[in-house]
Amino acid sequence: GAVVSQHPSRVICKSGTSVKIECRSLDFQATTMFWYRQFPKQSLMLMATSNEGSKATYEQGVEKDKFLINHASLTLSTLTVTSAHPEDSSFYICSAISQGLEEKLFFGSGTQLSVL
Amino acid sequence: DAKTTQPNSMESNEEEPVHLPCNHSTISGTDYIHWYRQLPSQGPEYVIHGLTSNVNNRMASLAIAEDRKSSTLILHRATLRDAAVYYCILRDRGSGNTPLVFGKGTRLSVIA
């Protein structure tokens, strides 16, 4: 089946630094990828939709200048948390759609971000 | 997306069947019923989906009520590795490149 690889799985950073999270579709091309955020004991919240070759679409309340999304190829989307603060500490998850298998979404294993 | 209602939590003994219910009284004729699950510290994974007829795969079975206003995910023999949050999600047939919208799901605990 289709595989989505997400790196790193865990990152600890100091407040004010930027962190980049990568999401790769390993055996399929993904024109669309999604980024979610999940706080402890809560459900996944959609942050943005990443489209290859165009600007990402952000959900209401998500700061596009803080959460930079780049989808430069059909297999890679990146989320950069800029000037991270402790309140940005969360579990970030990416998801991708495989062409021809639109009824299923495939998810990365998630990135646990801890900002000190 | 039409809303689904699931119990917050359920508990099962290991190696016994588990029936996870989901109510979706406002389902439309073109909504597929999807189930995903999220193991601790992992991203969600696809479990099963269906439209009208019951569905079986290697992971689980999906029983859909005749009026489609409810469905049940069946794990035939729960194992400790099945402990996860199970999400029931409606997704329109023509959703194409749209994301999944997650509710709170049901947290399944499996007791050895």
Side-chain angles (χ1 to χ4, degrees):
Chain A
V3 176
V4 174
S5 176
Q6 186 174 342
H7 291 280
S9 58
R10 179 178 294 273
V11 58
I12 301 172
C13 69
K14 293 181 179 180
S15 184
T17 61
S18 295
V19 175
K20 180 184 284 188
I21 303 170
E22 291 188 349
C23 181
R24 293 180 185 275
S25 57
L26 293 187
D27 51 0
F28 66 98
Q29 294 182 333
T31 55
T32 303
M33 292 185 177
F34 307 103
W35 287 95
Y36 294 83
R37 179 168 53 182
Q38 185 176 32
F39 293 106
K41 303 297 184 184
Q42 295 187 21
S43 188
L44 286 78
M45 295 294 296
L46 180 67
M47 297 176 66
T49 299
S50 170
N51 298 297
E52 187 269 335
S54 64
K55 291 183 178 180
T57 304
Y58 291 82
E59 296 299 301
Q60 190 173 9
V62 178
E63 300 175 56
K64 62 180 181 180
D65 294 330
K66 181 170 186 61
F67 298 100
L68 300 179
I69 292 174
N70 185 286
H71 194 157
S73 78
L74 287 171
T75 58
L76 174 64
S77 176
T78 60
L79 169 68
T80 301
V81 183
T82 62
S83 186
H85 289 96
E87 57 266 30
D88 298 323
S89 298
S90 186
F91 193 55
Y92 292 87
I93 305 166
C94 69
S95 175
I97 294 178
S98 175
Q99 296 301 313
L101 291 174
E102 285 84 357
E103 68 273 17
K104 297 182 187 180
L105 270 72
F106 301 93
F107 290 83
S109 55
T111 298
Q112 182 63 53
L113 172 63
S114 299
V115 185
L116 304 178
Chain B
D1 292 318
K3 184 177 177 179
T4 63
T5 305
Q6 299 177 251
N8 289 333
S9 62
M10 290 186 65
E11 202 172 81
S12 171
N13 292 319
E14 194 177 13
E15 298 193 4
E16 289 189 355
V18 183
H19 291 230
L20 297 165
C22 181
N23 288 319
H24 30 76
S25 59
T26 59
I27 190 171
S28 74
T30 55
D31 280 334
Y32 278 82
I33 302 160
H34 288 251
W35 284 83
Y36 283 73
R37 72 179 185 179
Q38 185 179 22
L39 279 65
S41 302
Q42 294 289 319
E45 64 174 340
Y46 168 84
V47 177
I48 200 167
H49 78 285
L51 185 62
T52 56
S53 303
N54 294 344
V55 184
N56 299 296
N57 65 22
R58 63 175 181 81
M59 289 182 72
S61 295
L62 176 60
I64 302 173
E66 195 169 333
D67 63 4
R68 300 186 71 238
K69 293 181 184 295
S70 66
S71 61
T72 302
L73 179 70
I74 302 167
L75 306 180
H76 296 285
R77 287 183 64 206
T79 69
L80 296 178
R81 287 175 294 180
D82 291 322
V85 179
Y86 287 77
Y87 297 98
C88 170
I89 302 170
L90 300 184
R91 185 172 170 80
D92 188 85
R93 182 173 55 194
S95 290
N97 292 339
T98 60
L100 289 175
V101 178
F102 288 83
K104 295 182 179 180
T106 296
R107 183 174 298 277
L108 175 66
S109 301
V110 181
I111 302 169

